[in-house]
Amino acid sequence: MSLSWIILGQLDSIESMSTSKKVITRDEWERKLKDVKIRKEDMNKLVMNFLVTEGYVEAAEKFRIESGTEPDIDLATMTDRMAVKKAVQSGNVKDAIEKVNDLNPMILDTNPRLYFHLQQQRLIELIRSGKVEEALEFAQEELAPRGEENQSFLEELERTVALLAFEDVKNCPYGELLDVSQRLKTASEVNAAILTSQSHEKDPKLPRLLKMLVWAQNQLDEKAAYPRINDLSTAMIEDPAI
Amino acid sequence: MEDDQPAPAADAVNLFGFSPRWWSGPEWKRTNEPAEEPEPSHLNTFNSSGMFHNVSPDKLSVRYVGCGQHGYDVGAVQANCPAPTRRIVYYFEIKVKNAGQHGRIGIGFTPKEYDLRKQPGWDPNSCGYHGDDGYLYHGSGKRYRFGPTFTSGDTVGAGINYAFPQFFFTKNGELVGNVVKDIKGPLFPTIALHSQNEEVTVNFGKQPFLFDIKALELEERQKVRVLIEKEYLTPTVSVQIIRSYLLHYGYQDTLDSFDVESESMHPQVTRENGVEEEGCAYALRHRKILRQLVKNGDIDSVFQKIKEWYPQILQNDTSVISFLLHAQRFIEYLRNQELLEAVGYARAELSRFFPIKSYADLLEETMSLLAYDDPQKSCVGYLLEDSHREYVADAVNAIVLSTNPNMSDPRNYLYSCLEKLLRQLIACFSQRRALNNNEGQELRLPVELEINHGSG
């Protein structure tokens, strides 16, 4: 058989493979989209849920006034929670711990990992400010006992203490512990623990719905060619690539 | 809503289509909760010949009364209705009271028009697990070794897992195995007997199952949850979407606080104010003020401000926005218990909308508020709610956005970015389900949005 026949034959089967996907035109899809029933109040709830969970205290208060949406958590407790988060983010871990205990002493009692991470952050802050003696004392008295209880704590403790071995702390192998992102990580952990203790979901719903959209489109891609949203931030619908 | 008269001229904004919020609470409920799907509850005594089997009066037991001598005297019986499809899994169980002479008991699924003198799995489009040989029969002579045999005292279950889709079978609470489900269309749970003295009872869910079906369902849900969690999102996308939502609807005060707090929360995250803000910040202050006026019920001021700022909007006095605003003014009179003023207003401003078919129904509903002593408790009481004011506020917002000379895509003033994403989400799930023979669980947004307390 000549080469061209073979190629044509292959093209044929490739074409039929791609056309075995159902094609949905732009018009059909727009009609489908229009038929979807969405309630404004559900969208407002979604936004409020985001503001509250992520800690936009003022924005949540304003949104409640401007949209009439009731927050699903008491805004007063939000202020306390944000004060804790802020304290960690600015490196005042001792202050943060006090505040958490004021809010609810059970939180740290029932969250040994969180408590360890907060203490670890305190150690990092002592090292950052060059207080070597204090740091060593703190590590030995507060962190070592916890390290003994738990293998993974011990490993993290060792990494943190190792920082003391370096003159130029910022550029050593564990330098990322001194990064502000470490503070943010710990702050986030505290935020989540407080929310959970208040019987609230620690993650906002919006990102999950966005991930569902991404997943749903990927799934649908296997069976159909249809107008897609490729950029979530613009929600622009792009014609099916046929 | 069909138009008898041509639609009001220059009515580029189809406000009735943009958000079906002009629906009463009960109407919303009806569309948001799917119709009850019937579920098998007992054995069907109508469609079988009844020659070879005997179904008990409670329709949950069956006994073989034939001779079991050839391939056409099976006593098969189906459930009263097919397996429901709007869920992840369906399942039922039988208990073998007596395996009789040969234990030729079959359990599985068959289509509606099935020859009930045959075992499930013998004829095309059916599937059955048989107790005498432990084989799986998959229609038209296809059969293979599948699992253990089963006999008196055993509890055997059969189910459909729509996630794959596949059939699966269990024995005494343990999974035996599964097989690809390539049969389409409604499938009836089926049990069959084929030797003397065989007797089984069936459980369609009234009693707890031996097999932990809930665990299976949870497992399937968890699988999907894990996959979804793995999807990648750019770190700033949620914040961008929230921001554009606030901009779109004119929640200016919230937006200002949001921007300030964003700066302090993630200072390293730069807001990308590029393409996405095309037209969104247009007339922000005006839209905010108009929204506040509507939410306070001050429609007179709304009219005044619109005439001052965007006179073109009210040029056509039978446009949709005209209708919505005048109707809302009427409603506000009623909210203040000013019935006489309401009637006067209706005569002056609402009567001209009556001849236009697309407004007729809504106008009637609005006017019917007058008929009730306690309109709030009536079926049109939703018109008096704050949520209806919100609808009108959103309509005003959309019409003001539509005056933006730079707006390229008309959909941009109707739908916020968030709304477009949510519509696409639901449309994709629904399309996917449609391509899956209309089987499997549906995505229902209100359920997803349910703010759970205490479920971390």
Side-chain angles (χ1 to χ4, degrees):
Chain A
M1 241 202 239
S2 81
L3 194 60
S4 47
W5 270 112
I6 298 173
I7 293 177
L8 281 174
Q10 298 224 321
L11 279 174
D12 222 4
S13 59
I14 292 172
E15 227 186 81
S16 61
M17 262 168 63
S18 64
T19 53
S20 69
K21 270 199 211 175
K22 181 168 167 70
V23 173
I24 304 170
T25 64
R26 181 86 184 223
D27 281 338
E28 276 179 77
W29 192 252
E30 297 268 1
R31 243 175 289 138
K32 236 182 135 61
L33 289 175
K34 204 156 166 253
D35 281 342
V36 174
K37 315 282 183 267
I38 305 259
R39 288 195 302 191
K40 176 81 187 307
E41 54 195 89
D42 285 339
M43 293 198 290
N44 279 348
K45 269 198 210 152
L46 196 55
V47 170
M48 181 58 97
N49 167 263
F50 184 85
L51 296 175
V52 160
T53 315
E54 295 294 279
Y56 293 85
V57 191
E58 282 227 18
E61 185 56 57
K62 297 273 163 64
F63 192 60
R64 174 215 246 151
I65 296 170
E66 282 193 309
S67 72
T69 311
E70 279 306 316
D72 49 351
I73 201 170
D74 189 357
L75 290 184
T77 63
M78 232 178 111
T79 324
D80 297 330
R81 173 164 55 96
M82 289 347 285
V84 172
K85 202 172 172 195
K86 220 170 176 166
V88 176
Q89 279 171 301
S90 9
N92 300 330
V93 187
K94 185 154 179 281
D95 191 29
I97 293 178
E98 267 172 37
K99 286 192 158 74
V100 172
N101 281 327
D102 282 343
L103 199 61
N104 183 346
M106 291 293 287
I107 295 177
L108 291 179
D109 282 346
T110 54
N111 259 303
R113 179 167 295 274
L114 173 64
Y115 188 50
F116 177 79
H117 283 153
L118 283 167
Q119 296 288 62
Q120 183 191 19
Q121 193 66 44
R122 264 176 91 176
L123 179 58
I124 292 172
E125 299 305 328
L126 286 170
I127 295 174
R128 189 203 305 278
S129 50
K131 299 182 180 156
V132 177
E133 255 190 61
E134 256 190 83
L136 283 170
E137 230 184 271
F138 184 76
Q140 283 165 4
E141 274 173 37
E142 298 289 339
L143 286 166
R146 279 171 229 299
E148 278 164 24
E149 292 162 16
N150 184 316
Q151 182 64 24
S152 67
F153 288 1
L154 189 60
E155 282 164 18
E156 289 189 60
L157 174 58
E158 285 171 355
R159 283 174 64 220
T160 316
V161 172
L163 285 171
L164 286 166
F166 299 89
E167 275 284 346
D168 185 8
V169 216
K170 294 262 170 68
N171 290 319
C172 77
Y174 304 124
E176 72 263 11
L177 287 171
L178 289 166
D179 204 47
V180 73
S181 60
Q182 182 66 23
R183 278 188 189 169
L184 294 179
K185 210 166 117 194
T186 313
S188 198
E189 220 186 307
V190 163
N191 187 52
I194 298 176
L195 279 170
T196 314
S197 79
Q198 292 168 339
S199 301
H200 192 269
E201 278 192 36
K202 60 180 174 64
D203 295 315
K205 295 218 177 264
L206 179 60
R208 189 165 69 87
L209 287 174
L210 297 177
K211 285 185 180 182
M212 277 174 87
L213 173 56
V214 173
W215 181 81
Q217 288 195 135
N218 291 339
Q219 288 278 302
L220 193 52
D221 283 342
E222 290 172 18
K223 299 194 174 172
Y226 62 97
R228 259 180 145 268
I229 291 182
N230 292 322
D231 183 353
L232 296 182
S233 63
T234 61
M236 215 174 53
I237 305 229
E238 301 184 29
D239 282 317
I242 310 173
Chain B
M1 293 165 294
E2 271 110 45
D3 280 297
D4 252 358
Q5 300 204 353
D11 212 356
V13 184
N14 176 11
L15 287 172
F16 288 144
F18 99 97
S19 159
R21 189 52 191 90
W22 189 309
W23 281 25
S24 57
E27 273 182 298
W28 266 109
K29 225 170 176 265
R30 260 204 309 272
T31 51
N32 276 337
E33 282 164 15
E36 273 297 320
E37 211 185 355
E39 241 186 87
S41 56
H42 55 265
L43 295 172
N44 184 346
T45 47
F46 291 111
N47 68 341
S48 58
S49 61
M51 279 204 296
F52 307 118
H53 64 262
N54 203 333
V55 176
S56 62
D58 70 355
K59 301 191 185 172
L60 292 172
S61 273
V62 59
R63 194 160 53 88
Y64 189 70
V65 297
C67 298
Q69 296 194 318
H70 49 78
Y72 283 87
D73 62 351
V74 174
V77 58
Q78 292 176 327
N80 62 318
C81 75
T85 59
R86 280 208 200 98
R87 54 179 74 183
I88 300 182
V89 291
Y90 173 74
Y91 181 73
F92 74 101
E93 279 182 348
I94 59 169
K95 178 130 192 207
V96 182
K97 273 177 89 173
N98 190 344
Q101 223 175 27
H102 298 293
R104 295 196 206 123
I105 300 167
I107 179 176
F109 293 91
T110 58
K112 188 159 191 190
E113 306 300 327
Y114 193 75
D115 182 354
L116 292 169
R117 300 167 304 166
K118 308 282 193 66
Q119 285 272 9
W122 282 1
D123 278 356
N125 293 327
S126 69
C127 178
Y129 172 35
H130 294 189
D132 57 343
D133 54 12
Y135 274 55
L136 185 86
Y137 289 74
H138 205 175
S140 303
K142 280 190 280 182
R143 66 163 202 169
Y144 46 88
R145 296 182 72 92
F146 182 67
T149 56
F150 53 85
T151 183
S152 310
D154 285 330
T155 300
V156 186
I160 306 177
N161 184 342
Y162 294 108
F164 288 85
Q166 63 185 202
F167 293 112
F168 64 95
F169 298 90
T170 69
K171 177 183 172 186
N172 293 331
E174 301 279 320
L175 189 66
V176 171
N178 51 54
V179 60
V180 165
K181 170 181 170 308
D182 49 9
I183 310 169
K184 299 186 186 164
L187 287 170
F188 288 76
T190 308
I191 50 190
L193 309 170
H194 199 204
S195 73
Q196 292 185 9
N197 295 324
E198 282 176 14
E199 190 174 347
V200 302
T201 54
V202 64
N203 176 11
F204 286 119
K206 257 209 201 119
Q207 272 85 47
F209 294 124
L210 212 60
F211 176 71
D212 195 349
I213 191 70
K214 291 265 172 256
L216 182 67
E217 230 178 286
L218 217 66
E219 204 187 296
E220 288 302 330
R221 266 187 237 274
Q222 194 53 20
K223 265 193 229 167
V224 173
R225 211 170 279 155
V226 167
L227 286 174
I228 290 176
E229 194 42 43
K230 284 207 176 95
E231 294 292 352
Y232 174 73
L233 292 177
T234 43
T236 56
V237 71
S238 290
V239 170
Q240 281 174 304
I241 290 169
I242 297 281
R243 189 161 197 282
S244 91
Y245 184 89
L246 299 173
L247 261 179
H248 178 98
Y249 289 106
Y251 295 116
Q252 191 180 29
D253 293 341
T254 312
L255 179 64
D256 290 339
S257 295
F258 183 75
D259 282 342
V260 167
E261 288 179 309
S262 278
E263 267 307 304
S264 77
M265 280 211 251
H266 1 256
Q268 71 270 37
V269 167
T270 43
R271 278 182 283 115
E272 271 124 45
N273 290 340
V275 179
E276 163 256 317
E277 274 203 39
E278 170 219 276
C280 272
Y282 172 78
L284 184 57
R285 208 185 110 254
H286 285 175
R287 290 186 285 120
K288 169 195 142 170
I289 291 171
L290 288 170
R291 178 178 292 276
Q292 275 172 356
L293 289 171
V294 174
K295 285 202 73 81
N296 293 335
D298 186 358
I299 306 296
D300 289 334
S301 295
V302 173
F303 274 115
Q304 185 220 338
K305 291 286 177 215
I306 291 182
K307 286 191 182 122
E308 190 188 317
W309 295 331
Y310 308 100
Q312 68 270 44
I313 289 177
L314 289 172
Q315 228 159 35
N316 177 357
D317 71 353
T318 55
S319 64
V320 176
I321 191 68
S322 267
F323 171 70
L324 288 177
L325 284 171
H326 284 299
Q328 191 59 30
R329 183 65 190 94
F330 171 82
I331 290 171
E332 293 300 336
Y333 275 123
L334 289 175
R335 280 181 74 141
N336 286 335
Q337 322 272 3
E338 293 168 316
L339 269 80
L340 287 177
E341 284 85 342
V343 172
Y345 194 81
R347 287 185 176 159
E349 302 288 1
L350 287 181
S351 50
R352 66 171 174 278
F353 292 101
F354 269 108
I356 304 172
K357 190 135 194 266
S358 49
Y359 301 132
D361 293 331
L362 301 172
L363 193 48
E364 247 180 67
E365 277 207 23
T366 312
M367 297 295 294
S368 74
L369 282 167
L370 289 170
Y372 297 93
D373 205 22
D374 191 357
Q376 202 126 33
K377 296 217 178 83
S378 72
C379 59
V380 285
Y382 71 93
L383 291 169
L384 299 170
E385 302 277 333
D386 285 350
S387 49
H388 195 74
R389 276 182 179 167
E390 172 124 6
Y391 171 69
V392 175
D394 289 342
V396 170
N397 187 67
I399 201 88
V400 171
L401 280 175
S402 77
T403 65
N404 183 358
N406 292 329
M407 188 76 78
S408 52
D409 182 3
R411 276 168 31 108
N412 282 342
Y413 56 71
L414 288 185
Y415 302 129
S416 56
C417 178
L418 177 61
E419 185 164 357
K420 288 187 214 169
L421 293 170
L422 291 175
R423 281 174 187 267
Q424 182 82 356
L425 171 63
I426 295 175
C428 284
F429 264 82
S430 136
Q431 184 65 57
R432 183 169 158 261
R433 187 172 181 274
L435 292 175
N436 203 26
N437 300 319
N438 277 313
E439 291 172 353
Q441 199 167 44
E442 295 174 318
L443 174 69
R444 295 200 287 120
L445 203 60
V447 176
E448 294 299 324
L449 292 178
E450 189 112 321
I451 313 292
N452 288 319
H453 290 270
S455 65

